[in-house]
Amino acid sequence: MKTTSPAERDIQMNKATGRDTRTAVLKRSIRANVPLRKTFVQAPRGAVSRHGPLKEFVTGRDLRGLKAYLMIVAACSNGTSGWSTTHDSAVWARMMDIFETATDQSARTGAWRTLRRLEKRRLITCHRASTKITVTLLREDGSGQPYDRPRGDTEEDRFLQIPTTFWTKGYDEALDLPGLALLLVVAREKNWSTFPADKAPKWYGWSPDTHERGLKKLLELGLVERREEYKKAPLSPLGMTMAYQYQRTTIIRPRKPRKQATSPATASPVKKNVATPSRSEGAR
């Protein structure tokens, strides 16, 4: 029976995990929420097809690719390096949790192949120099157009937000592909919206069964909450219909930015000999 030496145990205990790596990447991006254009999930009304690039991940069963893409958006979308980020291929592999099931070289190869799939979908460009890989964001709709920060002033530019705690707390690790896809779908809509499974093929491009399994997974993990909505239906046997409405729970909603306290050095000086208005005077 093979035994592990104290030195080997110490190395294993102090080696960075995939979550450690993702957390470090997010900390460097200095943001509480990650913006993602809604066109990644679903095309705007009036388009020939309502399907967004998300469909290809779901129908292609590419969970690793979807998780990698969302992390790339998180790493690049602050714009500090021109919408790009560079890491050693081993870091990319650890970020994608590939080292858990592969050797060093196989993990590096797997990371590169994953990035190349995203490039073929026209969501990123990637360049490899020795062991370093540089990834640059493209627009989330899969058009291949250069990326720019979404501002939300048009329908094509509206965006959802993913809190960084989604990664740092490990919620991403618990989700399967239907669950992650439906989390993005729910995040795209207003609170307490309905998500009928029979509309999934037309609206998103996947099956009703996948749609229902995704919502069920989110409920099991406590990432969404559900309530019943009743409407009058004069021609139905009961005279009414019932549909479920969903919204994200608090733990997965966007974080509000912290208010910075004004330091004494930057506070506006109070002028002497000037009467301070009372609360009633200033409230008008």
Side-chain angles (χ1 to χ4, degrees), residues 54 57-64 66 175-182 210:
L54 178 58
F57 291 91
V58 177
T59 58
R61 299 181 181 180
D62 190 7
L63 178 60
R64 177 183 292 171
L66 179 55
L175 281 172
D176 56 12
L177 186 54
L180 182 52
L182 265 294
T210 295

Side-chain angles (χ1 to χ4, degrees), residues 19-258:
R19 191 189 299 184
D20 292 333
T21 304
R22 291 186 289 274
T23 299
V25 169
L26 291 165
K27 189 175 294 185
R28 192 171 68 173
S29 70
I30 316 174
R31 67 188 324 148
N33 303 297
V34 176
L36 179 72
R37 279 185 175 85
K38 294 182 177 183
T39 50
F40 176 72
V41 179
Q42 187 181 47
R45 293 179 182 177
V48 175
S49 170
R50 296 301 307 277
H51 304 164
L54 178 58
K55 169 197 171 183
E56 300 301 324
F57 291 91
V58 177
T59 58
R61 299 181 181 180
D62 190 7
L63 178 60
R64 177 183 292 171
L66 179 55
K67 287 184 175 182
Y69 174 65
L70 294 178
M71 266 305 304
I72 291 168
V73 176
C76 299
S77 60
N78 65 348
T80 55
S81 300
W83 318 122
S84 299
T85 189
T86 302
H87 297 290
D88 188 272
S89 58
V91 176
W92 282 111
R94 192 182 314 115
M95 199 186 304
M96 300 178 198
D97 290 323
I98 302 178
F99 274 115
E100 295 182 2
T101 57
T103 62
D104 180 83
Q105 188 54 50
S106 295
R108 289 174 181 269
T109 301
W112 175 246
R113 288 176 177 173
T114 300
L115 296 174
R116 288 284 290 147
R117 288 201 303 275
L118 301 181
E119 187 173 48
K120 289 178 180 178
R121 291 170 183 157
R122 300 194 297 177
L123 294 168
I124 65 167
T125 62
C126 52
H127 173 73
R128 182 168 59 181
S130 185
T131 63
K132 295 286 187 178
I133 302 176
T134 298
V135 170
T136 302
L137 272 182
L138 298 176
R139 201 171 174 91
E140 299 98 320
D141 58 6
S143 64
Q145 295 297 313
Y147 181 86
D148 59 345
R149 184 179 285 110
R151 302 188 182 281
D153 51 359
T154 64
E155 186 175 357
E156 292 79 5
D157 207 44
R158 290 174 184 163
F159 59 94
L160 59 90
Q161 295 188 87
I162 307 170
T164 54
T165 49
F166 171 68
W167 292 277
T168 59
K169 298 295 185 181
Y171 300 124
D172 62 314
E173 301 166 29
L175 281 172
D176 56 12
L177 186 54
L180 182 52
L182 265 294
L183 179 64
L184 297 176
V185 167
V186 174
R188 186 188 186 280
E189 305 300 335
K190 296 179 180 179
N191 290 339
W192 298 123
S193 294
T194 58
F195 301 93
D198 62 327
K199 299 291 186 181
K202 180 179 180 180
W203 287 356
Y204 308 108
W206 52 73
S207 69
D209 179 66
T210 295
H211 200 78
E212 290 177 342
R213 285 190 290 118
L215 289 172
K216 181 180 179 181
K217 187 68 173 181
L218 294 177
L219 286 168
E220 290 175 353
L221 295 175
L223 299 180
V224 300
E225 51 190 336
R226 182 177 71 183
R227 72 181 185 186
E228 297 175 349
E229 179 196 33
Y230 293 91
K231 290 184 177 181
K232 288 183 179 180
L235 300 182
S236 72
L238 296 177
M240 62 181 179
T241 60
M242 189 278 287
Y244 287 119
Q245 296 178 323
Y246 298 83
Q247 71 171 6
R248 285 182 285 178
T249 53
T250 304
I251 58 176
I252 204 66
R253 290 177 193 164
R255 296 292 181 262
K256 294 182 179 180
R258 294 181 179 179

